[in-house]
Amino acid sequence: MAEVLRIAIQKSGRLSEKSLEIIKNCGIKFGSDARVLKEKASNFPLEFLYVRDDDIPGYIRDGVADIGIVGRNEYDEQAIDLAVLRDLGFAKCRLSIAVPIDFPYTGLSSLEGKRIATSYPHILGGILAEQGIKATFIQVSGSVEVTPQVGIADAICDLVSTGATLAMNGLREVEAIYTSTAVMIGRKQMGSEEKENILRRLELRIDAVMRASSYKYVLFNLPEEHLDQVARIVGGMKSPTVTRLMETGWVSVQTVVAEDTFWDVFEQLKALGAQGILVTPIEKMTE
């Protein structure tokens, strides 16, 4: 029987949705029925396990899964000896200190001797230890925000996205101490050459999808006299593709522009007389 690579993915939630979206964009077909806990792709040697996110590192360590997608916060908190195969860049969040509105916070030193409720004692403990700060950790797995109200803790350390939940519970975010994104993790040795090969194939596809999401394909018409200037502005994978138009003195230019520089490039193109600028997303892209 041919081997398959087992990937563990969070059963539901934003992390799960984005993870599955990337895999689908890799051309891998599967059902992703929310009621199914295990399934195989129909056109690639990949098997999915849908589980709790905090179980994923342990499943990989124990050989139940070969790789998985989790938040870096979960990986760092459990501190299991696994490899980070890819930083996928999505599901960004921050681990922050939050205190009651009237707490006199002036920096991490304000936590000296305090009780801090958190689901991340390992990460928090390491950061405070670096600063020589001693505190008592109250480990909780949910509803961290309520602990100061009921007298269990003086402050909290929890993941924050917008801060709205903190405000609803009479807390204010005072310091972000750690940032997290989704990462693909796996055992340092897959156990067989066949699985190593499947992993390389999957990584190649994921890299192509991720790279494409950071760029736009741009097509525009340009007075030929400005071609050298535009080439320096837009660059391209190697250089822009240039086609002469029937109208004398004009060319059509095709190139790829990084998403985070697009608007600056767009303004410079307009200033040089570019017309008919067409921008489209890129589905897949390799170097």
Side-chain angles (χ1 to χ4, degrees):
M1 182 181 295
E3 284 200 84
V4 297
L5 190 72
R6 281 187 173 179
I7 182 170
I9 291 178
Q10 184 177 340
K11 179 171 173 54
S12 61
R14 185 166 60 98
L15 180 63
S16 172
E17 292 171 0
K18 186 62 177 179
S19 300
L20 295 175
E21 178 186 334
I22 285 180
I23 295 174
K24 283 182 178 177
N25 288 339
C26 289
I28 297 173
K29 298 180 180 179
F30 56 96
S32 65
D33 188 324
R35 297 165 297 180
V36 174
L37 300 180
K38 177 182 174 182
E39 68 171 326
K40 287 185 179 180
S42 62
N43 64 341
F44 192 85
L46 190 66
E47 185 173 68
F48 298 83
L49 300 178
Y50 300 112
V51 298
R52 284 168 48 96
D53 63 337
D54 53 357
D55 288 334
I56 291 176
Y59 279 9
I60 297 172
R61 175 198 59 205
D62 296 338
V64 177
D66 300 304
I67 61 173
I69 297 177
V70 295
R72 183 177 286 273
N73 57 290
E74 199 64 57
Y75 167 76
D76 285 344
E77 179 60 29
Q78 295 193 31
I80 296 174
D81 187 25
L82 302 171
V84 175
L85 305 173
R86 290 290 185 280
D87 187 330
L88 300 174
F90 63 86
K92 293 181 180 179
C93 59
R94 60 190 182 273
L95 188 63
S96 292
I97 303 295
V99 299
I101 300 299
D102 58 355
F103 187 103
Y105 186 87
T106 57
L108 288 177
S109 60
S110 301
L111 302 176
E112 179 71 37
K114 302 300 184 183
R115 301 166 300 163
I116 309 172
T118 184
S119 301
Y120 301 95
H122 180 78
I123 295 175
L124 176 60
I127 292 171
L128 293 187
E130 289 178 357
Q131 302 294 320
I133 298 167
K134 295 182 179 179
T136 300
F137 303 140
I138 312 298
Q139 187 167 359
V140 292
S141 57
S143 302
V144 179
E145 297 87 356
V146 76
T147 54
Q149 293 186 48
V150 297
I152 295 175
D154 303 302
I156 73 168
C157 180
D158 200 19
L159 292 178
V160 176
S161 53
T162 65
T165 304
L166 295 177
M168 291 173 60
N169 287 277
L171 301 173
R172 59 190 176 98
E173 181 183 1
V174 291
E175 187 164 350
I177 62 171
Y178 171 95
T179 57
S180 175
T181 55
V183 292
M184 187 168 75
I185 60 175
R187 295 195 305 278
K188 293 182 177 179
Q189 300 294 331
M190 286 293 109
S192 75
E193 185 175 343
E194 189 171 354
K195 282 192 177 184
E196 292 281 1
N197 183 54
I198 297 170
L199 176 59
R200 285 193 294 270
R201 291 170 59 199
L202 178 61
E203 289 176 321
L204 181 64
R205 295 189 185 200
I206 288 176
D207 288 346
V209 170
M210 290 178 57
R211 185 173 176 80
S213 68
S214 301
Y215 290 85
K216 297 294 184 185
Y217 183 79
V218 183
L219 173 67
F220 54 92
N221 297 328
L222 180 79
E224 189 172 4
E225 61 186 294
H226 297 313
L227 188 55
D228 288 342
Q229 291 171 270
V230 166
R232 288 193 292 270
I233 292 169
V234 301
M237 295 294 289
K238 287 190 179 295
S239 65
T241 300
V242 179
T243 306
R244 295 190 181 280
L245 299 181
M246 291 183 66
E247 185 174 345
T248 303
W250 282 81
V251 293
S252 173
V253 180
Q254 303 171 54
T255 190
V256 172
V257 176
E259 175 76 45
D260 57 0
T261 64
F262 170 75
W263 287 110
D264 181 55
V265 170
F266 174 82
E267 292 170 3
Q268 293 181 70
L269 292 178
K270 291 296 291 182
L272 290 171
Q275 297 180 3
I277 301 174
L278 175 66
V279 183
T280 63
I282 301 172
E283 185 175 303
K284 312 288 187 301
M285 181 176 172
T286 62
E287 293 184 349

